Amino acid sequence: MKCRMCSYTKVFWTENPQSSTTSANTAAVTGIRNIEGGFSNREEFFSALDIPLMSEKTFTKEQEKISDAWKVTELKEMELAVFEERSLSIQRGDVDSEGIPLLTVVVGGSWVKRSYKTNYTSLSGVSSHSWIRKQKGFIRRRNKYCVICARAESKGLKPDEHKCFRNWMGSSSAMEADIIVDGFTKRVEMHGVKYARFIGDGDSNVYKKILDSMPYDNLTVEKIECKNHLLRNMCNKLKDIARNGKIGHVTLRKLIGSRVLRIRTAVTMAIKYRKEEPSKTENDKIMSLRQDIMNVPFHVSKS
């Protein structure tokens, strides 16, 4: 602030610049982002409170600063989690011939637009890798759309310099497999580990992509089917049978439709029982579980 008469200049701060606490601007932008809002949402909220609002340019700068800080934190947490997973694998002796730890991960994908098994046109998709023991991992995304680029293209102009989020030109359905394969191929270089096993859904395309990429020499990645996905698929098949008028008598189909959840519960409990069953080989447990599943209809058909 400058005096018009004596030209004395004084700087005033709305908060202590030497403070180690988060600034008001950073805290405000963090809060609005945590509830999945943007500048316009914050503008409406602060207008209702009659509080002066930062400019959109300042908001964008704060947003980028927060994103960079989150990325740094993510990398630190990832390094710590990998170190712990690596140590546990070495303790168990789960290493390859070169002494590289072998990890088991849970993988999965998601899209911002549901396909309902027919319309695979989502503009953005994400996939995650979670280490089975520490329940930590990372998420990566693929975007087919950038709003700044799209606006410039619609006007026939060259987009201004900006941070472009478009990093995918392929089909939406291929996003998940590409992210997962990328994660497998870079683990040795980035963290000194190999993904020897992964737990995933019934999508055979992802597993085929992993095998085709041959991420590791002298090691074939093993796939473990996710129990939840298998049970969900089983329930979907049972519901399809109950709705199909060409299969069986209507009374039987109604009975099946009303017992889907009970069948799922019975199979879940059978899995738990056989898993904890002592003094049996893995193969014997599998054969016993198979027989249990075949017997489920006889147990749940009664009221």
Side-chain angles (χ1 to χ4, degrees), residues 269-284:
M269 297 307 295
I271 293 172
K272 182 179 180 181
Y273 175 78
R274 294 303 178 187
K275 181 180 179 181
E276 298 174 353
E277 194 174 18
S279 64
K280 264 194 175 184
T281 64
E282 196 71 20
N283 188 60
D284 289 339

Side-chain angles (χ1 to χ4, degrees), residues 17-197:
Q18 306 300 325
S19 175
S20 59
T21 59
T22 304
S23 68
N25 284 349
T26 303
V29 176
T30 301
I32 203 68
R33 286 200 59 179
N34 285 342
I35 59 172
E36 300 182 1
F39 178 77
S40 59
N41 303 107
R42 187 176 184 276
E43 189 175 32
E44 293 178 6
F45 181 71
F46 275 64
S47 296
L49 297 175
D50 196 21
I51 297 176
L53 181 68
M54 71 182 79
S55 66
E56 186 171 3
K57 184 176 181 180
T58 302
F59 182 91
T60 302
K61 286 183 177 180
E62 289 290 340
Q63 190 170 240
E64 292 177 354
K65 183 172 70 175
I66 293 168
S67 297
D68 292 339
W70 283 354
K71 288 179 182 178
V72 172
T73 303
E74 177 200 17
L75 291 175
K76 288 181 179 179
E77 289 294 321
M78 190 189 305
E79 288 291 343
L80 179 61
V82 170
F83 176 79
E84 294 174 348
E85 286 281 349
R86 188 165 52 227
S87 300
L88 291 172
S89 293
I90 294 174
Q91 290 175 12
R92 297 192 310 271
D94 193 6
V95 297
D96 66 3
S97 58
E98 299 175 343
I100 298 177
L102 305 177
L103 305 187
T104 301
V105 294
V106 181
V107 302
S110 179
W111 291 263
V112 296
K113 177 183 177 182
R114 293 188 65 87
S115 64
Y116 298 102
K117 300 181 181 180
T118 56
N119 188 19
Y120 297 95
T121 58
S122 178
L123 296 177
S124 182
V126 299
S127 183
S128 64
H129 294 192
S130 300
W131 297 294
I132 191 68
R133 298 186 181 278
K134 303 306 295 183
Q135 296 297 308
K136 293 181 180 180
F138 66 93
I139 296 176
R140 291 293 179 267
R141 57 168 174 76
R142 294 290 184 269
N143 289 323
K144 299 172 65 175
Y145 182 81
C146 173
V147 63
I148 297 177
C149 293
R151 287 174 179 173
E153 289 173 5
S154 65
K155 298 177 181 179
L157 302 174
K158 183 179 179 181
D160 296 332
E161 185 177 347
H162 66 287
K163 183 183 289 186
C164 184
F165 292 99
R166 182 165 59 182
N167 59 1
W168 182 249
M169 303 301 291
S171 66
S172 300
S173 58
M175 291 177 178
E176 178 186 15
D178 183 75
I179 298 173
I180 292 174
V181 169
D182 186 56
F184 273 74
T185 56
K186 293 182 178 179
R187 284 318 98 194
V188 177
E189 176 187 348
M190 293 183 64
H191 300 125
V193 298
K194 293 180 180 179
Y195 289 168
R197 300 161 295 272

